[in-house]
Amino acid sequence: MVVSSTVLQQSLRHLDQAYGRFFRGEARYPRRKKKGRSRDSATYVRTGFKWVEDPGRPGTGLITLAKQSEPLDIKWSRALPAGKVPVRLSVTRDRAGRYFVSVLVEERIAPLPVVFVPGTREPKAVGVDVGLASLVILDDGTKFDHPRLLKRYAEKLARLQRELHRKVRGSKNRQKVREKIARLYALISDVRRDMLNQLTTRLVRENQVLVVEDLSVGTLMSAARGKGRRRKAKLNQAIVDASWGELLRQMRYKCEWYGRTLVVVDRFFPSTRRCSACHVVGPRMDVSVRQWTCAGCGILHDRDVNAAVNLRDEGLRLLAA
Ligand SMILES: [Zn+2]
């Protein structure tokens, strides 16, 4: 049994809330509940398991569930805070058949000091744009690429999905392909989550206000035509949606922990088409357009950086209002 663990460091006040979010947001599996298809999970309170910390590797140790003689064979993804006793743990099984143990410990987290724009009393803000060309783009022009691994996985996923369509409904072979797809999805979300974790930790440390766009309803890809293109566009949209969902989930709880402000800008705000310099709103652009020149002031914009600047400014405007 492969087991990985995830640690939630959280003050008690927010335990339940974050716990629910943690599981809801972890991966993009179908919402539909169906036997054997969705996540199975079990929660254990303090009396439901035994914990023995490993003195050689503090923060890790043996967990034995009630009514079991052997401790779980755990591959620790992260150590718990040393010396803390888990208050609750949850064992889940995902569609790929992998088991996860999530361990909850009580810990008070002190908010970080407020970050100002150097030499001013303005809170330092960052606009965060999520995209297909780059995973995340900041208003200062910093770009974080999609992990190269993900591109390879995405291609493999597309291949498997084509294969799935060719298999007879209800057949064993179809089931096999489906399981492969589920394992790949799980792998993809792991890689993405790790990368975004590093990124969101940094963003929260360096900024007081974080601004992101509401992408909860996909609008980007509606223009694509043709069956092949549509499928590709759908896949691309799924990639952007998943990144955005995970980014938002992490920013939400980290902002809460560390005393930062998160602003989610309405999806009707024209972040891409608006010139961040003169605020003229241009025509709609195809997703393939990476650069454009403003008809109002003649500035050449990088599509994504301009969007990130607009988000930052709009977020600050909303805060001030
Ligand atoms: Zn302009």
Side-chain angles (χ1 to χ4, degrees), residues 274-280 292 294-299 301:
R274 191 178 91 144
C275 169
S276 55
C278 73
H279 298 179
V280 162
W292 58 281
C294 172
C297 67
I299 284 185
H301 287 296

Side-chain angles (χ1 to χ4, degrees), residues 129-143:
D129 189 50
V130 182
L132 201 57
S134 295
L135 172 66
V136 165
I137 303 93
L138 306 184
D139 61 80
D140 66 0
T142 311
K143 295 186 177 185

Side-chain angles (χ1 to χ4, degrees), residues 18-284:
Y19 203 65
R21 265 202 307 266
F22 175 71
F23 284 110
R24 277 199 305 277
E26 195 175 37
R28 283 174 49 86
Y29 292 113
R31 306 273 175 263
R32 195 158 38 117
K33 281 236 169 196
K34 208 169 174 187
K35 192 167 173 275
R37 290 276 297 277
S38 51
R39 264 157 196 279
D40 301 319
S41 77
T43 303
Y44 298 81
V45 292
R46 212 167 219 164
T47 48
F49 63 93
K50 214 174 80 189
W51 161 251
V52 183
E53 192 166 354
D54 180 351
R57 285 182 65 205
T60 69
L62 299 177
I63 292 172
T64 311
L65 298 179
K67 291 178 190 164
Q68 290 196 350
S69 51
E70 293 292 308
L72 300 171
D73 179 15
I74 293 177
K75 200 176 116 203
W76 291 84
S77 61
R78 221 182 310 167
L80 304 172
K84 297 278 179 187
V85 178
V87 281
R88 188 162 74 177
L89 58 91
S90 167
V91 181
T92 54
R93 183 181 178 278
D94 70 8
R95 283 178 62 210
R98 306 179 309 170
Y99 287 89
F100 293 88
V101 181
S102 298
V103 182
L104 223 60
V105 293
E106 291 175 25
E107 195 181 30
R108 293 237 166 254
I109 294 180
L112 292 167
V114 177
V115 187
F116 296 103
V117 176
T120 72
R121 299 302 285 169
E122 301 279 313
K124 190 159 183 300
V126 63
V128 184
D129 189 50
V130 182
L132 201 57
S134 295
L135 172 66
V136 165
I137 303 93
L138 306 184
D139 61 80
D140 66 0
T142 311
K143 295 186 177 185
F144 298 89
D145 284 334
H146 292 270
R148 218 170 285 162
L149 205 57
L150 284 191
K151 190 156 182 272
R152 249 196 2 246
Y153 287 164
E155 281 160 9
K156 201 169 161 193
L157 189 62
R159 208 164 56 234
L160 283 173
Q161 269 162 347
R162 279 196 300 274
E163 210 178 311
L164 186 71
H165 285 291
R166 287 196 301 266
K167 302 288 181 204
V168 180
R169 258 174 206 286
S171 69
K172 262 224 162 77
N173 279 331
R174 191 181 163 96
Q175 187 54 33
K176 266 185 203 158
V177 176
R178 199 194 289 289
E179 278 162 18
K180 271 192 199 167
I181 288 176
R183 274 199 298 276
L184 195 56
Y185 262 125
L187 220 59
I188 287 172
S189 61
D190 284 357
V191 172
R192 183 188 292 122
R193 190 171 50 237
D194 285 352
M195 164 142 192
L196 287 174
N197 247 318
Q198 292 170 23
L199 178 65
T200 51
T201 294
R202 182 179 144 185
L203 290 176
V204 164
R205 285 229 170 91
E206 295 174 357
N207 299 281
Q208 187 60 35
V209 179
L210 288 78
V211 190
V212 68
E213 191 173 13
D214 182 4
L215 293 179
S216 53
V217 179
T219 48
L220 255 174
M221 306 290 176
S222 48
R225 293 198 196 288
K227 209 177 171 193
R229 276 192 74 181
R230 223 174 13 243
R231 197 178 292 160
K232 180 123 200 288
K234 250 170 103 178
L235 187 64
N236 286 343
Q237 183 63 57
I239 291 168
V240 172
D241 286 352
S243 306
W244 172 81
E246 179 60 22
L247 184 85
L248 191 65
R249 185 186 72 80
Q250 293 184 10
M251 292 208 302
R252 276 226 167 94
Y253 75 72
K254 288 181 188 181
C255 282
E256 205 172 309
W257 286 358
Y258 296 111
R260 302 309 196 214
T261 305
L262 177 68
V263 184
V264 182
V265 171
D266 193 278
R267 70 192 171 91
F268 296 111
F269 175 69
S271 61
T272 303
R273 294 187 287 142
R274 191 178 91 144
C275 169
S276 55
C278 73
H279 298 179
V280 162
V281 177
R284 287 191 181 283

Side-chain angles (χ1 to χ4, degrees), residues 315-321:
L316 285 173
R317 190 189 69 79
L318 289 172
L319 270 187

